[in-house]
Amino acid sequence: MTGSSITAPARSRLHDFLAPDSIAIIGASADPTKRGYKAMVGLIKGNYRGKVYPINPKVPEILGVPTYASLDDIPGPVDLALVCTPASTLTALMADCGRKGVKGAVILASGFRETGPEGAQLESQVMAAARAGGVRIIGPNTSGMFNLHKNVNLLDLRNIKAGDIGFISQSGNMLLALVLEAENNGHVGFSTYVGPGNQTDIGFNDYLRYLGEEENTRVATLYVEGFRDGQRFLQAAREITPVKPVVVYKSGATELGKKAASSHTGALAGSYEMTVDLLKQVGVSVVRHSDQILPVAEGLALMQKARGRRVAVIADGGGQATITSDRLSDAGLEVAELSEPTRKRLAAILLPQASLANPVDVAGTSDADPEVLARCMEIVAEDDNVDAVFLVGMFGGYHTRFAESLLGGEMRAAEAMIELRRRCGKPLVVYSLYAPIKPPPLRRLHEAGLPVYASIEHAVKVLQALAERGLYLQRQHGQPLQQSVAPREDMLAMFARAQTEGRDLFEFEAKNLLRAHDVAVAEERVVQTADELAEVAAYFGEQALAMKVVSKDILHKSDAGGVKLNLKGETALRAAFEHILSNCRSYDANADIRGVLVAPMAKKGIEVIVGVVRDPIFGPVLMFGLGGIFVEILEDVAFRAIPLSRFDAEAMVEQLKGRKILAGVRGEAAADKPALVDLLLKVSSIVSAYPQLSELDLNPVIAYPDGLAVVDARIIINRAMMSA
Amino acid sequence: MTGSSITAPARSRLHDFLAPDSIAIIGASADPTKRGYKAMVGLIKGNYRGKVYPINPKVPEILGVPTYASLDDIPGPVDLALVCTPASTLTALMADCGRKGVKGAVILASGFRETGPEGAQLESQVMAAARAGGVRIIGPNTSGMFNLHKNVNLLDLRNIKAGDIGFISQSGNMLLALVLEAENNGHVGFSTYVGPGNQTDIGFNDYLRYLGEEENTRVATLYVEGFRDGQRFLQAAREITPVKPVVVYKSGATELGKKAASSHTGALAGSYEMTVDLLKQVGVSVVRHSDQILPVAEGLALMQKARGRRVAVIADGGGQATITSDRLSDAGLEVAELSEPTRKRLAAILLPQASLANPVDVAGTSDADPEVLARCMEIVAEDDNVDAVFLVGMFGGYHTRFAESLLGGEMRAAEAMIELRRRCGKPLVVYSLYAPIKPPPLRRLHEAGLPVYASIEHAVKVLQALAERGLYLQRQHGQPLQQSVAPREDMLAMFARAQTEGRDLFEFEAKNLLRAHDVAVAEERVVQTADELAEVAAYFGEQALAMKVVSKDILHKSDAGGVKLNLKGETALRAAFEHILSNCRSYDANADIRGVLVAPMAKKGIEVIVGVVRDPIFGPVLMFGLGGIFVEILEDVAFRAIPLSRFDAEAMVEQLKGRKILAGVRGEAAADKPALVDLLLKVSSIVSAYPQLSELDLNPVIAYPDGLAVVDARIIINRAMMSA
């Protein structure tokens, strides 16, 4: 945990049993096809140095290890129990484990929540028994776990290379896929694996904290189908990502499935893209393709981060240089602008036809002298404009392609690259056409932890993850988060009133809440009788006004004829007032009409939307987008978990595809970005202060060159709190 | 060419020398590092059965083959010359080749157009000499060629497996990359390779036609940095794709680089996305990632096409099934809805916990009996709702994962899958975690041409290419193309007048052209004097009118005060007329003002844009998009080469990201899609008839529930034709 500015949290209790000194196998078996046998093999063949206690009352020994009839018969303490018996046995067994002082239990059995209500009930019983005895549960319905640095392997997999990658996966097959991929092409190896199964007790957030502390793990990697407590996970990630990289592949199924949306924000929240935004907010490296999980995790394990997005490319042929430029640009990376001295140094060692602009194309210089590639890498690595170096082409195959005698030069080049990596601290990455056949120079790089890829696309994804992590650490991490405002008595009373009346906030109340906390909202008036309109008309003077009915029973005000626009003068106001009332009464004779809101019409400007939901997985989430079709058709919105930092708010604005519109197009003026950022931060502060607020939609907010107008505001109240 | 409804074109002359019976090596060498030696090795070690004539006046023989002092000394005819000598020798050599009757020359030398004007001049001279002698040129600046079925290998690459993939690549390294990838993981092998180099004589279109005819090639694959004659390429592809698959990787650099855009359409044309749209229009399988070229080419070689997008997934674990669903959806494919009988048949052979909805998760049934996977594939393959079958998971590794004894069952399953493929005609594709380590069952599938992938992402790309090709052949191919209208005398005179006056068409003229060819454009009037306005006002009656200045010298009419909107009645028209004239005179005192256009204001509706450019590479191209920010900010537009089919026009509308807007959102009515399609087809017809028309922008066109209004029309004239 060195290098972190965060106070180290209490050491995770998971260490007690994920690095156990003693293991009981409940349901140990002499039948080689059973998990209770295979786990024994895994421990014994894997040279586990702790104590192994097979529990089986029927046979005296398994694989030469004496068995015990029950947990109680075991002489010493038991850190971890592997439970191989069926679901029905679990409640009693957890009580036994508690009595014995077992710290954690890996429960393989399925037949719990995933099968329906009865299974869910059984799961609760098992959990209650475990909790009563102080036993932590991995699973149930888990594929198992390993901790290779402790020689603990409770899985039925052999020959897994021990290394730096900690992996938590809701799919056992995904572990298997990575292990096989690593066996064939991997650079790094694995530290700890856990299948979290149903996450009954221990969730992704706990495992992430454990991997964050676990000293043999340099990268925490997670395959997630669903988080159970996303809010805690975000908090854990916020603390871990500054210390070590966290890689997440999130499968695309939404967290929530379909739900009735009561606001625009509600309709867009819960999406895959929301999850991605929130994970990135806390520094997670999100991988979108399953075949990039291992390359990205390994790249981060080996190189941790890049200082920025500027990549120098050294190529020995135009084709791959062109592809590389295309892919770097797709990935939001930049082809670094090489300095004049760098170009001169390159010119001195390359043939005249070489291209010195990045991508540097050595144009045949290396055909007879592959070492020149290493020298080029050295030169560009020393350029301050370069954050990472990417060698692209035939390296490793020159001795095959041109002349056997080039092997020596290639091996020397490999050594020079390894030495350069040690010295310069910038990521060096190699794509080679010859990677699939693993010639000696590439094998040498590979052994030295200098990554070699067989796909330009994968290499670029690694560079992207390194740059994004570097930039996160420089810019995003450690930014102060927006503090909650102090809740005001009058506002609390307003919420309480609405709760008592069984309704959400009226628009004017929602705007009052914003005003109460220093959001500039134009002054408005609610009138109950037409007689008040003379004074109102005089007050607003020449401004064009809008009138809207105030009633909890009329949700679609326009449909009910409850809205009139562009009104000026007392006469017009009076006529509109009567119209609205008669329209609304004929729309719904029983509607409880509290009056009519009179508000100045907003000038034309750029429409945006600001929304908040309390996501059942991730907690309060802020959404920002351009209004109208952008949010409705293109779903061009940004999400951040509340509370936000100022960086988060600024990044939300910059993230939109339609951000050019905020900069002013088609003769329209630019939007006041500082005011937008300020609004996002204020909304974050307000939401933190009022748990009564369940959803918020400011739609539209109209942005001007100087300032904003909140035209409509809707706040939905927490129904759970209402019934309380 | 069987199965094609197209009249077979004359057999390509390229056969004469790409499948040569005799080869002269000009610049043959005894130095093993020289191409003139390596090519000899390639021919001799490759068992070339034709005649080889090394030309070298200094040594008597090379590799045991007697040399000749010059071409003239060769006794028999020479089909192909490989020219290894420098650029400066080429002009004379081409004359020699012509005299000798050499049919084609592969010119390796660089130092031509790619080096600047002098090189370009030399290239022209060489071309002229070759043409005079009837010699076709491959290159110059080519990496060479091979035709493995004829044992011709003029490259310096060994052990390339002969097979079905024809490859034309502007990057020699890309060939090398594919060859190495194929050596490691390939299913198919190569037929002919050519590096087109500078395409001085023979371009991609010619090579494509050759591959289309070449009987050993089942898939034509092209790596393209730039087309020289895109229009001919599209024509060739239109003819070849029905006969065999054509795969193109186009590098992202634009065809044109930056150019000053004289219209919205002009600004967006020439993009990578335009090229992709045009290639897809003619049935090309476009690959966007370089590491997908080989898998997609091989998948098409092995399976040609799928009937549709509906994929049945058989999986042995939830994780990969979930990932597969996500990726299928990203790729525009569908998870097939399995019929009730299919589900019942699956239920009969699977454990109760299996999931019978697609993805089918066998949930452990296969752990002890991997053959059940083949039976599941058989059952779903027989379902009419299924177009392709995708097996996902551990297949091939059950005997490693669970018990050695399962190998027999896995091998039998592999045989059953191979047999099923033979029988059912639907694509079967396998993703296996074990693909990287190539266990026997996977090796068996591989040998039998049933493709096995190590990446879900790659497998899905193959399924996508198969579905898109299948749908192209069913729906798009063979649709009649829009005929040109007959050009009208009065319109030709109008173009001639504008040409004489050195200007583009006036808006009213552009609209007249549209009206002349049955595009409904609201009636308008051009007035020269205020006195005409009484009659005009009476004519248009109650309609609100717009007035715009008519002048070739005033391009930005609004800026000049040359536009007035929402006018009603003679008085208003007169005032506006005087205003416009005085504004424009003070804007530009020398402007040639031809009058003022009076047009009815269009009602509100959905704005779209229709544009045409004559792309220097691809010829006339139509663009369609939603108006305003969609085109300006989001660049959400579709392109098609002119002439279009009705299918093309319909597909353009459906392709837009914002297509939901055309269906009507936010209370707006839907757009009249048939009218839009009709407009696109009419514009295609008009553009085909008038080569004088260089660019066209109808912006905006306003779409209503019934019909359209062309609000503004701009036509730019072909400057080249003007000077003629």
Side-chain angles (χ1 to χ4, degrees), chain A residues 156 173-174 180 223 249 252 288 290-291 319-320 323 326-327 401 455 457 629-630 632 634 666, chain B residues 156 173-174 180 223 249 252 288 290-291 319-320 323 326-327 401 433 455 457 629-630 632 634 666:
Chain A
D156 179 21
N173 272 9
M174 187 47 68
L180 288 162
Y223 169 87
Y249 178 95
R288 287 173 184 264
S290 61
D291 59 4
Q320 269 111 1
I323 293 171
D326 291 349
R327 287 297 94 72
R401 175 89 183 83
S455 151
E457 281 75 8
I629 50 158
F630 278 92
E632 289 170 32
L634 301 171
R666 309 189 91 195
Chain B
D156 178 20
N173 272 9
M174 188 45 70
L180 288 161
Y223 170 86
Y249 178 95
R288 287 175 184 263
S290 62
D291 59 3
Q320 270 111 359
I323 294 171
D326 290 349
R327 288 297 92 73
R401 177 85 184 88
L433 323 187
S455 150
E457 281 75 9
I629 50 158
F630 279 91
E632 288 169 32
L634 301 171
R666 308 189 92 196

Side-chain angles (χ1 to χ4, degrees), chain A residues 601-612:
Chain A
M601 297 285 295
K603 287 170 299 170
K604 254 196 85 186
I606 302 171
E607 282 192 23
V608 302
I609 174 170
V610 176
V612 171

Side-chain angles (χ1 to χ4, degrees), chain B residues 123-196:
Chain B
E123 189 170 325
S124 302
Q125 286 165 11
V126 171
M127 183 65 217
R131 189 162 285 157
V135 183
R136 302 299 304 269
I137 294 177
I138 297 170
N141 194 16
T142 169
S143 49
M145 60 80 62
F146 64 60
N147 175 345
L148 300 184
H149 294 281
K150 191 86 183 175
N151 293 349
V152 177
N153 186 349
L154 301 182
L155 285 175
D156 178 20
L157 292 173
R158 312 276 161 77
N159 304 324
I160 310 171
K161 188 179 154 197
D164 301 336
I165 296 178
F167 190 42
I168 312 295
S169 172
Q170 276 185 299
S171 159
N173 272 9
M174 188 45 70
L175 169 70
L176 193 53
L178 292 202
V179 164
L180 288 161
E181 202 183 322
E183 192 176 326
N184 194 48
N185 280 317
H187 294 76
V188 171
F190 297 88
S191 54
T192 293
Y193 165 77
V194 184

